[in-house]
Amino acid sequence: MKNDRQRTFLLITLPILALFICFNTIPLIRGVIYSFTNFKGFGKYDWVGFRNYIDLFSDARVGKSYLFTIKLAVVSTVVVNVLSIALALCLNSKIRAKGFFRGAYFLPNILGSLVVGYIFNYFFTYILPAVADMAGISSLSTSILSSPSKAWIGVMIVCAWQAIAMNTIIYISGLQTVPEDVYEAGGLDGATGWKQFRYLTFPLIIPFFSINMVLCVKNFLMVFDQIMALTKGGPAQSTESISYLIYNNGMSGGQFGFQSANAVVFFIVIVLISVAQMKFSGSKEEQL
Amino acid sequence: MKGKRLKCLGTALCCLAAALPLQGCGASSDKVEIEIVQYKPEAANYFKTVEDEFNASHDDIHLTISSPNDAMTILKTRFIREDYPDIIGIGGDINYSYFVDAEILADVSDYDGLNDINQGYRDIAEALELVPTEGTYIVPYVANAAGILYNRDMFAEHGWQIPETWDELTQLCDSIQAEGILPFYFGFKDTWTCLAPWNAMAVELSPSDTTKQVNRGETTFKDEYRELSEKYLQLLPYGPDDPFAYGYNDACTAFARGEAAMYPIGSYATPQILSVNPELNIDSFVMPASDAKEDRTLNSGIDLGFCVMAECQNKEAAYEVLDFLLEYENMQKYIDDQNAVPCKNGDFRLASMLDGMSEFIQSGNMTDYQDHYYPSEMSVDALLQTFLLEKDVDAFLGNFDTSWLRYNRDIIRLVQEYEKSH
Amino acid sequence: MKHTSTVGKSNKLVLVLLILGLTTIAFPLYLTIVIAFKQPSEMTNSISGILSLPKTWSLNNFREAMEVTNFWHSLRNSLLISVLTVVLSIAIHSLMGYALGRNKAHSKFYSFVYLFIVSGMFVPFAILMMPLAKQTAELGLANWFGVIILYVVFYMPMNIMLYSGYLVNIPMALEEAAKVDGASTWTTYWKIIFPIMGPMHATVAVITALAVWNDVMTPLIIMAGSGENTLPLAQLNFQSQFGTNYNLAFASYLLSLIPILIFYIFCQKQILNGVTNGAVK
């Protein structure tokens, strides 16, 4: 009996693992090999040893992009998770027109980035300054996207606006695993509102919380579409994310080898962050 | 219940699969296949017509032209797969230089059609090679020109004259401003637009081979670009208050709606402007950046040229296709369609918004864009945007020099090796 | 009595909050619709101009957008790729999620495989692009089928994470009961575990379908030169550096939004059905 179980698990795991290695690990290794060359993306190339990696650590632009990306990721992750949990709880409660609301709040995620870019550019460039003028807030009377110190806030807002939909879906499906009788029992003990959430609901959706945290951190660290749609790295290179640099200079420009090195380092950084995150939330899960 | 649903799903999938196109059965037989990939999606309709006309009139060659968006990414991924088209249509910029250096283009110096190409553009093409080569690798097709677009009706109404020197330009701007009109519109949020006035002034203020001189170690950008940078800053007060808030599209719309008298950009912007306001009467003039009007030269470069790939199996057929593309009627059609400047000699009809530039085009007085020599990964456009925001000439030029050495290390080594051996 | 009245009150509050939040979605949506109906000559930079209704409500933009993108053909390609990817993802990823989720706590091997695959999520796509373009061509997969395989691999890490997270709340007792009845692990999975994960299947379907539906890069580099388009690829035709027809583009985006929205609403029902079935306890 036990053997059957183990054999089945192996028969499931091995072929799928092989598929994964073939289309993820092997290309990655090939990419890592390019990071030791001055390959432009076409034509001939030379081996340059560790030059790309040494350059990477002395490149101010790369350093700046790491700072920007991490700042964006941390703030967006917090904002998105707080709002998505709240939204998921709201959408999961007994309200009218639930289906309508769920559909509506899903929309930001499906609007193409050209549309999102155009609308938010318009909003930040014309509408927000006009509103701020009327309200007498002078710090917002010029477009925040044109200020190197404030543009990241615009990017953050759009990232959050788009990401909340997906995270909410995951939280909603997490809330489905919370059995009704937990609330009934809790209701008898007088747990309502915040207390009910903190001591009954939240512990039960911790696996989903940690999934969302990991996905958020990953998605925001790898932010690309929103940058392309909104600022293209400007103003004054203040919103160049790491993925933007890797794609723009590696694929569109002729720095494929160097940006492969950047991608390798970046990959290691995200894996470390995420493993730490998973370890942390894993220990939380075990406590329960 | 479950089983039924699964069956439905299965049937649906089978239907979808059956609806698939049968791939892999390529076009037939004895005809020579020629495939062109060209990088200007806005000219897709023109190339579709050319393709149809060519195939209707030729029995021995079958031509396919694709005009994909993001063609450079597509080309690069196809190169790495060794799936080369026969001819590529690209611009005369750093990518072309890289392609020549990578030896993936065929030498077309034996192509007769080259003799009809304007010598000015042939020289520009030669200059783009990182180190001089024996061969010719591109057939220049059409060019674009950058300078200043102006609202012709507004100028006529106020009796403003076309400036021919830098001082006349600033005086003109002052008098426009005095009448409560915005002289320039800028769309600096899109960083690439920062390059338009820069290029247009650079052709007069610094040598056309500045970057090559720097690569040879003969000069620095600090010396060559100082006047240019200072003059660029002087333009800013004549633009909108916060030019970094507006993108290219905003600027086109604003200019089309008469919110500014002039817009320093290339001729390529006119279709977008006219789509907003088809009635607008646009003309252009050459950006006067120096004090002597004889110094003026038109900022013009190869917008589209055709390169035969080294892998092309049938050069004769490729040349026949090029002949067809270069036929007078076809070129005229392209020019009308895209407001382009032809690279071929001949009596072509130019769009009216190029009136102010036509004497320069006819006399061959033109100089290539400086940015065609900048590697795109250095993001000079973004450096310029930073400079315009911070207005610090020394910091900008210092950064320009160090970044240049960093991003061009391999090219500089190539150039210096070449210098040593020649 | 008292109890129900407080519930009613808080629900009204929730409703008000939800409606307020809705404005952040209604406004962009309104702009999208209005712009999709306007002509390029109606575009201005003034706020009243952009907010105004189009002069005529003509469907011409939609008609033209459908023509430019070869709508039905591109839609078919997009549907084919999305549907097959979703079906394969649900089948393969849920199995893998089950195998890994049930074993990673006590087996070093499975926990390594789990971390190995999940870390694949963090590989920047740009570094894979060139090698994948080459590899798919070498394997004869430079077509829609190659795109589907790549998607199944790309979304594997995230989906496996989701499935094994969901399994934590599914008690082992269910499987053990089946084992007592003499069912093999394989049968137990398909008969008991797979149906219980219904809400998760719907979640995975939505997330995967959405990512696939909007993706440009993978088909761009894999199907380049094949002459076949997906909807997002075809929509690239509306923008170029020197000019973008926003009106046609917005019309086209509105059109391509409809299928995925319908799919989402359908999946939402499935996510909820999981509870009413009372399967999870």
Side-chain angles (χ1 to χ4, degrees):
Chain A
M1 233 24 210
K2 183 122 205 216
N3 275 342
D4 159 69
R5 198 168 161 81
Q6 283 314 313
R7 202 178 55 236
T8 312
F9 282 136
L10 263 185
L11 281 178
I12 293 170
T13 310
L14 291 180
I16 300 178
L17 184 64
L19 181 76
F20 182 80
I21 289 177
C22 180
F23 289 98
N24 192 299
T25 315
I26 291 177
L28 175 64
I29 292 170
R30 286 184 170 189
V32 173
I33 293 171
Y34 284 127
S35 73
F36 295 101
T37 68
N38 63 356
F39 190 46
K40 283 199 202 77
F42 50 85
K44 55 187 186 208
Y45 54 88
D46 300 314
W47 296 94
V48 296
F50 281 92
R51 189 184 85 179
N52 289 332
Y53 288 90
I54 297 165
D55 281 1
L56 202 59
F57 289 98
S58 60
D59 190 322
R61 198 170 165 199
V62 171
K64 210 171 141 189
S65 74
Y66 268 84
L67 284 183
F68 161 72
T69 312
I70 290 171
K71 177 168 70 176
L72 179 75
V74 170
V75 177
S76 307
T77 303
V78 172
V79 170
V80 166
N81 277 290
V82 168
L83 290 177
S84 320
I85 293 184
L87 190 56
L89 287 172
C90 287
L91 290 177
N92 209 41
S93 61
K94 295 189 181 70
I95 46 158
R96 252 179 253 190
K98 212 191 268 191
F100 165 76
F101 281 116
R102 288 188 175 184
Y105 277 103
F106 178 66
L107 273 173
N109 220 336
I110 32 177
L111 282 177
S113 68
L114 178 81
V115 177
V116 173
Y118 181 88
I119 289 176
F120 277 91
N121 266 316
Y122 204 90
F123 178 74
F124 288 129
T125 309
Y126 299 103
I127 297 177
L128 192 61
V131 173
D133 263 349
M134 277 191 287
I137 310 165
S138 60
S139 62
L140 283 178
S141 61
T142 54
S143 165
I144 60 169
L145 292 182
S146 72
S147 148
S149 60
K150 279 183 280 186
W152 73 276
I153 300 174
V155 176
M156 191 274 289
I157 291 173
V158 175
C159 284
W161 184 75
Q162 278 208 295
I164 284 174
M166 192 181 93
N167 288 285
T168 307
I169 294 173
I170 295 178
Y171 279 126
I172 289 180
S173 66
L175 287 173
Q176 308 312 314
T177 66
V178 180
E180 278 289 314
D181 47 8
V182 170
Y183 291 118
E184 282 157 25
L188 293 179
D189 296 345
T192 48
W194 171 250
K195 269 199 173 149
Q196 179 187 338
F197 171 74
R198 175 70 187 80
Y199 296 106
L200 292 172
T201 318
F202 188 70
L204 283 167
I205 58 165
I206 275 197
F208 297 88
F209 175 70
S210 47
I211 288 172
N212 265 331
M213 288 300 277
V214 172
L215 284 183
C216 267
V217 168
K218 174 237 161 192
N219 283 339
F220 294 129
L221 281 179
M222 295 172 89
V223 60
F224 176 76
D225 284 346
Q226 287 84 358
I227 306 277
M228 283 304 277
L230 223 58
T231 63
K232 299 208 174 62
Q237 300 184 312
S238 63
T239 59
E240 284 182 335
S241 73
I242 305 167
S243 296
Y244 175 85
L245 265 192
I246 294 175
Y247 179 77
N248 229 36
N249 290 0
M251 275 308 294
S252 308
Q255 260 191 335
F256 191 78
F258 175 73
Q259 293 301 343
S260 295
N262 191 3
V264 171
V265 172
F266 182 43
F267 169 60
I268 295 171
V269 169
I270 316 188
V271 168
L272 289 181
I273 293 178
S274 306
V275 168
Q277 250 186 323
M278 281 188 268
K279 280 257 154 67
F280 178 73
S281 49
S283 65
K284 284 259 155 149
E285 274 167 48
E286 274 158 28
Q287 280 171 19
L288 296 168
Chain B
M1 194 54 198
K2 266 264 140 65
K4 207 171 178 185
R5 208 185 284 164
L6 273 179
K7 245 180 230 162
C8 283
L9 194 65
T11 324
L13 282 181
C14 290
C15 289
L16 269 169
L20 275 177
L22 289 168
Q23 281 174 348
C25 51
S28 58
S29 68
D30 45 342
K31 277 192 185 180
V32 177
E33 285 288 331
I34 293 290
E35 187 197 1
I36 302 183
V37 175
Q38 67 85 23
Y39 86 127
K40 293 189 83 66
E42 56 270 35
N45 286 336
Y46 164 78
F47 281 103
K48 187 87 201 101
T49 337
V50 169
E51 180 189 282
D52 292 343
E53 282 173 9
F54 183 91
N55 287 330
S57 57
H58 292 72
D59 298 329
D60 48 339
I61 303 173
H62 181 259
L63 175 67
T64 328
I65 307 183
S66 52
S67 314
N69 203 296
D70 210 352
M72 271 303 156
T73 305
I74 289 181
L75 281 177
K76 285 178 182 175
T77 45
R78 286 188 60 174
F79 291 167
I80 202 160
R81 286 187 209 156
E82 286 158 35
D83 167 25
Y84 297 97
D86 298 287
I87 302 175
I88 55 173
I90 57 174
D93 53 33
I94 191 93
N95 278 316
Y96 167 70
S97 314
Y98 286 161
F99 289 167
V100 173
D101 181 53
E103 293 167 13
I104 53 176
L105 304 179
D107 183 4
V108 291
S109 41
D110 57 336
Y111 173 57
D112 294 332
L114 273 179
N115 298 325
D116 300 328
I117 304 296
N118 185 324
Q119 191 59 42
Y121 291 113
R122 291 180 66 180
D123 293 342
I124 285 176
E126 290 295 321
L128 282 167
E129 294 167 4
L130 295 178
V131 290
T133 59
E134 296 284 310
T136 302
Y137 298 92
I138 191 168
V139 181
Y141 192 61
V142 287
N144 56 21
I148 295 177
L149 300 179
Y150 70 93
N151 186 327
R152 209 194 289 233
D153 291 342
M154 204 187 271
F155 266 57
E157 194 187 315
H158 293 83
W160 294 324
Q161 295 299 312
I162 303 303
E164 293 181 326
T165 64
W166 173 253
D167 288 335
E168 284 178 25
L169 178 69
T170 50
Q171 279 157 20
L172 171 69
C173 289
D174 287 333
S175 48
I176 295 178
Q177 225 165 20
E179 299 199 35
I181 296 170
L182 193 62
F184 288 118
Y185 216 93
F186 298 123
F188 290 154
K189 181 166 182 299
D190 283 316
T191 47
W192 65 269
T193 64
C194 300
L195 281 164
W198 172 264
N199 283 320
M201 292 194 290
V203 290
E204 285 162 52
L205 299 177
S206 47
S208 62
D209 62 342
T210 308
T211 57
K212 297 199 154 187
Q213 291 183 20
V214 175
N215 285 346
R216 290 196 297 264
E218 293 163 7
T219 181
T220 61
F221 292 107
K222 227 176 207 132
D223 296 331
E224 301 298 337
Y225 281 167
R226 181 165 300 273
E227 186 184 357
L228 173 60
S229 313
E230 283 162 356
K231 282 190 169 162
Y232 200 167
L233 284 185
Q234 292 176 39
L235 289 180
L236 282 184
Y238 300 121
D241 281 338
D242 185 12
F244 310 99
Y246 310 108
Y248 168 72
N249 194 60
D250 300 311
C252 285
T253 307
F255 179 68
R257 295 256 172 252
E259 288 173 35
M262 300 180 278
Y263 182 20
I265 200 84
S267 52
Y268 43 76
T270 44
Q272 181 74 16
I273 295 168
L274 292 177
S275 79
V276 176
N277 181 2
E279 312 287 299
L280 192 73
N281 194 353
I282 313 175
D283 192 7
S284 57
F285 58 86
V286 170
M287 172 84 121
S290 95
D291 298 329
K293 64 178 186 180
E294 306 76 47
D295 284 354
R296 280 180 307 154
T297 172
L298 175 64
N299 177 204
S300 176
I302 300 167
D303 193 26
L304 176 63
F306 293 103
C307 309
V308 179
M309 302 299 294
E311 295 285 319
C312 174
Q313 295 303 313
N314 202 322
K315 245 176 148 183
E316 291 302 309
Y319 286 171
E320 212 175 318
V321 170
L322 289 185
D323 281 338
F324 187 79
L325 283 166
L326 283 163
E327 271 175 22
Y328 180 84
E329 299 81 51
N330 286 331
M331 286 210 73
Q332 185 63 55
K333 227 185 287 168
Y334 186 96
I335 294 163
D336 294 341
D337 201 39
Q338 300 291 317
N339 302 317
V341 179
C343 291
K344 192 184 173 183
N345 296 320
D347 195 13
F348 292 101
R349 214 174 39 250
L350 295 187
S352 69
M353 62 283 283
L354 292 170
D355 284 352
M357 293 175 170
S358 59
E359 63 169 285
F360 291 86
I361 297 168
Q362 264 137 31
S363 63
N365 178 4
M366 55 196 74
T367 312
D368 198 4
Y369 293 73
Q370 289 272 329
D371 76 336
H372 285 175
Y373 297 90
Y374 302 155
S376 65
E377 59 271 24
M378 186 177 152
S379 308
V380 175
D381 51 352
L383 294 183
L384 268 175
Q385 194 197 40
T386 312
F387 161 60
L388 295 172
L389 271 161
E390 290 168 1
K391 304 187 172 59
D392 184 342
V393 176
D394 288 311
F396 165 63
L397 292 176
N399 188 8
F400 202 114
D401 271 316
T402 45
S403 300
W404 183 267
L405 295 182
R406 174 181 182 81
Y407 284 98
N408 291 278
R409 192 160 35 185
D410 290 325
I411 295 175
I412 292 171
R413 207 187 53 225
L414 190 76
V415 170
Q416 284 171 352
E417 271 166 24
Y418 176 84
E419 290 291 312
K420 244 182 249 161
S421 60
H422 283 77
Chain C
M1 270 323 267
K2 207 176 160 197
H3 186 69
T4 46
S5 76
T6 53
V7 167
K9 209 179 193 176
S10 78
N11 282 351
K12 263 191 199 122
L13 186 70
V14 165
L15 205 61
V16 170
L17 282 177
L18 281 178
I19 290 170
L20 278 179
L22 211 57
T23 53
T24 62
I25 287 146
F27 175 70
L29 191 67
Y30 169 77
L31 270 188
T32 314
I33 294 172
V34 169
I35 291 173
F37 278 96
K38 284 184 177 172
Q39 295 302 309
S41 58
E42 293 175 61
M43 301 296 276
T44 66
N45 287 342
S46 71
I47 296 177
S48 58
I50 203 79
L51 292 179
S52 68
L53 293 173
K55 283 188 195 122
T56 51
W57 291 95
S58 125
L59 287 174
N60 279 338
N61 282 345
F62 292 88
R63 210 169 293 133
E64 209 182 325
M66 286 172 81
E67 225 169 83
V68 173
T69 54
N70 196 357
F71 183 75
W72 295 110
H73 189 83
S74 310
L75 179 72
R76 197 205 62 190
N77 283 343
S78 275
L79 278 179
L80 174 84
I81 291 178
S82 306
V83 170
L84 283 177
T85 305
V86 168
V87 170
L88 286 174
S89 295
I90 290 180
I92 295 177
H93 298 163
S94 67
L95 258 181
M96 192 68 167
Y98 172 62
L100 297 180
R102 278 293 185 241
N103 292 301
K104 72 180 161 98
H106 57 259
S107 153
K108 279 235 161 75
F109 170 71
Y110 286 103
S111 120
F112 172 77
V113 172
Y114 177 78
L115 284 179
F116 180 74
I117 291 185
V118 168
S119 64
M121 181 160 67
F122 311 121
V123 180
F125 184 59
I127 195 177
L128 298 179
M129 274 172 82
M130 287 294 185
L132 276 178
K134 195 166 182 168
Q135 196 172 326
T136 46
E138 285 162 357
L139 296 171
L141 289 173
N143 49 34
W144 61 271
F145 188 62
V147 172
I148 293 174
I149 292 185
L150 288 186
Y151 283 143
V152 170
V153 173
F154 290 160
Y155 302 122
M156 192 187 287
M158 181 178 72
N159 291 345
I160 283 181
M161 224 169 87
L162 287 170
Y163 277 119
S164 44
Y166 199 76
L167 274 170
V168 172
N169 284 356
I170 297 179
M172 283 294 286
L174 279 173
E175 283 168 71
E176 273 147 20
K179 220 188 288 173
V180 171
D181 296 345
S184 70
T185 310
W186 182 256
T187 341
T188 314
Y189 172 74
W190 289 109
K191 284 256 162 74
I192 297 181
I193 305 297
F194 188 82
I196 284 184
M197 294 200 291
M200 205 27 129
H201 294 320
T203 310
V204 164
V206 168
I207 293 174
T208 311
L210 190 69
V212 171
W213 190 256
N214 282 335
D215 184 46
V216 183
M217 251 341 165
T218 317
L220 182 75
I221 61 159
I222 302 302
M223 296 177 23
S226 72
E228 290 292 323
N229 262 348
T230 63
L231 265 182
L233 271 189
Q235 283 166 340
L236 282 181
N237 288 331
F238 297 114
Q239 16 173 183
S240 72
Q241 186 179 20
F242 300 135
T244 301
N245 189 331
Y246 287 100
N247 308 92
L248 286 190
F250 277 42
S252 173
Y253 280 102
L254 275 181
L255 284 176
S256 70
L257 190 143
I258 296 168
I260 193 82
L261 190 61
I262 294 173
F263 181 70
Y264 166 75
I265 291 169
F266 170 76
C267 285
Q268 259 307 325
K269 290 227 171 78
Q270 304 304 308
I271 296 180
L272 295 183
N273 279 350
V275 208
T276 46
N277 290 345
V280 183
K281 278 228 163 142

